[in-house]
Amino acid sequence: MELLPRLDAAEVRRLDRAHVMHSWSAQDLIDPPGVVAARGSRFTDHTGREYLDFSSQLVNVNLGHQHPDLVAAIAEAAGRMTTMAPGFAVETRSQAAAMIADKAPGDLDSVFFTNGGADANEHAIRMARLHTGRHKVLAAYRSYHGGTAAAMALTGEPRRWGSEPSVSGVVHHFGPYPYRSPFHSESESQECERALAHLREVIAVEGPQHVAAIVLETIVGTNGVLVPPDGYLAGVREICDEHGIVMIADEVMAGFGRAGEWFAVDRWGVTPDLITFAKGVNSGYVPLGGVIVSAAIRETFGQRPYPGGLTYQGHPLACASAVASMRIFERDDIVGRARTLGADIIGPGLREIAQRHPSVGDVRGLGVMWAVELVRDRETREPLVPFNAHGAQAAPMAEVAAACKKSGLWPMVAGNRVHVVPPLTTSPDEVREGLAILDEALAVADAHTA
């Protein structure tokens, strides 16, 4: 009996439509393309069309598809030990935790493993609440922290609406966004100053003695690749220290090389109390996430049980994939490669594209994490599509995406932006190839400008 029978592409798609329920979708209105192969920075659909993956799927395939060394390491680990309950000390779990702690800043020296980024954020705010004895948690409006209950409550964008009312105690505020400043700032330094003043005011009216944590994406991901102005993270750290608030950096997307650092906070020399991670830790080859915990918060649970856990916590196979992934990062200088791709290829390439297209309002990013924000009018900065656009309102962005796909580029489109987030292993020539396709596709957006 063949235990893993191969199906043809038509049967895969038939079974998908009959039995698979997809996330964030009206089930009867979608037609997911079948994928039959993937390698490096490319994948092939059921029609035989190959795409250059400028999305890294969900900005997680940092080492690319089917990295041969990582696949081999997972196969080897499966031969040694596939699973073991979290109450045991296991070789790959211990190794992975030690390696992650070694890469983390400051005294963040312990790791609480989870299955992904959403439950990492769940546990981070639980730790903060228990550590401080407080209940309120502050999070930004332009943010996404995951699809589970508390993580969704933290999320500041429209995907949380369908889950409300939800977990209590979450208060939203505005973070910095220089291009569309909610504070009417005229420079990045002014935006930093005013965003921090706004955060202080929110804390004051909520009662600092009631605030357990401030949760922020070090670099805002799906909601715009918003790189914080210099000084902002240090200012948040100062506010947290002043009021005994736990600072939680959500690095699920920005961590593990994506921003050209092991952790994006390293760029600004700031040490949070907790860092949440997932995605790039092992490129999603096996589900894994976690919370990196400071010494002070670890001490809170030294003699007091931490009330939480998961059956697959620190899964041996997932941890093995993380160990192998980090060793590949070190061997091949993936972090340095990402930094160079951003500084020498992606950033300059996108800025050149912006000069040619009236639809490009802003270009921003670090490492291999960039966004091209599209507008109808550069002077007024009117977005190419409205906030939270659907259906006909979203058509211009759908047209841009379709133009990219027609030429063999799989883009990440979010709101009025095209995010440029290929695998960190993408070659300079492949990046240039993708940028050339994007350059051509933006003519579609230009047709909608004033």
Side-chain angles (χ1 to χ4, degrees):
M1 177 182 179
E2 189 177 7
L3 297 181
L4 287 173
R6 300 303 303 266
L7 305 177
D8 63 33
E11 180 67 358
V12 170
R13 299 186 75 220
R14 185 189 71 79
L15 292 176
D16 178 277
R17 292 295 69 221
H19 302 292
V20 177
M21 190 165 180
H22 288 262
S23 57
W24 310 114
S25 301
Q27 303 305 305
D28 296 341
L29 303 181
I30 59 173
D31 183 22
V35 174
V36 299
R39 184 164 293 274
S41 298
R42 300 177 190 271
F43 65 91
T44 305
D45 73 9
H46 63 284
T47 70
R49 177 182 287 275
E50 186 178 78
Y51 297 94
L52 180 59
D53 189 355
F54 254 38
S55 69
S56 295
Q57 296 305 291
L58 292 175
V59 199
N60 65 318
V61 188
N62 286 11
L63 285 178
H65 298 277
Q66 297 300 113
H67 191 294
D69 294 341
L70 187 50
V71 170
I74 292 169
E76 180 185 347
R80 295 185 195 176
M81 180 183 293
T82 53
T83 191
M84 187 58 58
F88 296 95
V90 175
E91 180 182 24
T92 58
R93 186 182 298 147
S94 299
Q95 274 186 298
M99 291 180 74
I100 292 167
D102 181 63
K103 304 302 180 189
D107 67 348
L108 277 71
D109 205 38
S110 300
V111 179
F112 183 90
F113 285 111
T114 64
N115 299 330
D119 48 344
N121 286 322
E122 295 272 344
H123 285 281
I125 67 167
R126 186 182 304 176
M127 290 177 187
R129 284 170 165 168
L130 292 168
H131 176 70
T132 62
R134 305 172 184 176
H135 184 63
K136 293 183 181 182
V137 179
L138 270 60
Y141 273 111
R142 297 183 185 90
S143 69
Y144 179 75
H145 295 285
T148 53
M152 185 57 74
L154 294 174
T155 291
E157 46 111 309
R159 278 181 285 184
R160 84 173 188 281
W161 296 348
S163 299
E164 294 175 325
S166 182
V167 174
S168 66
V170 175
V171 177
H172 287 102
H173 64 95
F174 285 102
Y177 185 177
Y179 184 67
R180 296 190 181 281
S181 172
F183 312 111
H184 308 288
S185 301
E186 297 177 355
S187 66
E188 286 206 0
S189 61
Q190 195 174 70
E191 181 76 355
C192 178
E193 178 184 342
R194 292 181 179 183
L196 289 171
H198 165 69
L199 181 58
R200 282 188 176 277
E201 187 172 3
V202 172
I203 291 170
V205 296
E206 291 294 337
Q209 71 276 21
H210 299 295
V211 178
I214 298 173
V215 182
L216 50 79
E217 293 174 276
T218 307
I219 297 174
V220 173
T222 310
N223 285 270
V225 187
L226 304 179
V227 180
D230 290 344
Y232 181 73
L233 295 179
V236 174
R237 176 73 272 180
E238 181 180 341
I239 291 169
C240 288
D241 290 341
E242 182 179 332
H243 296 294
I245 296 169
V246 172
M247 181 179 179
I248 303 172
D250 178 343
E251 295 245 358
V252 171
M253 187 176 289
F256 289 94
R258 178 56 61 180
E261 307 284 349
W262 278 99
F263 294 99
V265 290
D266 296 339
R267 178 180 174 84
W268 293 278
V270 173
T271 300
D273 300 294
L274 299 170
I275 294 177
T276 58
F277 67 89
K279 293 186 184 288
V281 67
N282 64 351
S283 294
Y285 281 34
V286 184
L288 183 68
V291 187
I292 318 175
V293 183
S294 68
I297 295 178
R298 160 63 175 78
E299 181 59 28
T300 293
F301 304 105
Q303 301 297 317
R304 168 190 179 186
Y306 174 69
L310 309 93
T311 298
Y312 303 124
Q313 181 178 23
H315 191 282
L317 200 58
C319 286
S321 69
V323 171
S325 176
M326 286 184 280
R327 288 177 65 85
I328 292 167
F329 264 67
E330 292 171 339
R331 182 193 71 191
D332 298 343
D333 189 24
I334 298 297
V335 173
R337 179 190 182 95
R339 192 182 304 124
T340 299
L341 273 179
D344 296 349
I345 309 294
I346 303 175
L350 290 178
R351 284 187 281 270
E352 288 179 14
I353 287 172
Q355 293 175 2
R356 291 192 286 272
H357 294 280
S359 60
V360 177
D362 193 32
V363 166
R364 52 185 180 263
L366 286 173
V368 190
M369 189 176 185
W370 290 78
V372 180
E373 181 157 352
L374 303 182
V375 296
R376 289 182 179 271
D377 188 314
R378 277 183 170 175
E379 293 300 317
T380 65
R381 301 187 180 183
E382 178 189 355
L384 187 66
V385 299
F387 177 73
N388 198 36
H390 293 284
Q393 283 190 324
M397 291 303 297
E399 292 169 11
V400 172
C404 289
K405 294 173 186 177
K406 184 178 180 180
S407 296
L409 181 73
W410 194 269
M412 178 181 177
V413 172
N416 66 316
R417 303 169 306 276
V418 178
H419 292 201
V420 177
V421 284
L424 312 186
T425 51
T426 306
S427 72
D429 284 345
E430 287 176 319
V431 171
R432 294 186 186 100
E433 175 189 344
L435 293 180
I437 295 172
L438 176 61
D439 190 3
E440 183 179 328
L442 288 176
V444 174
D446 292 342
H448 293 279
T449 57

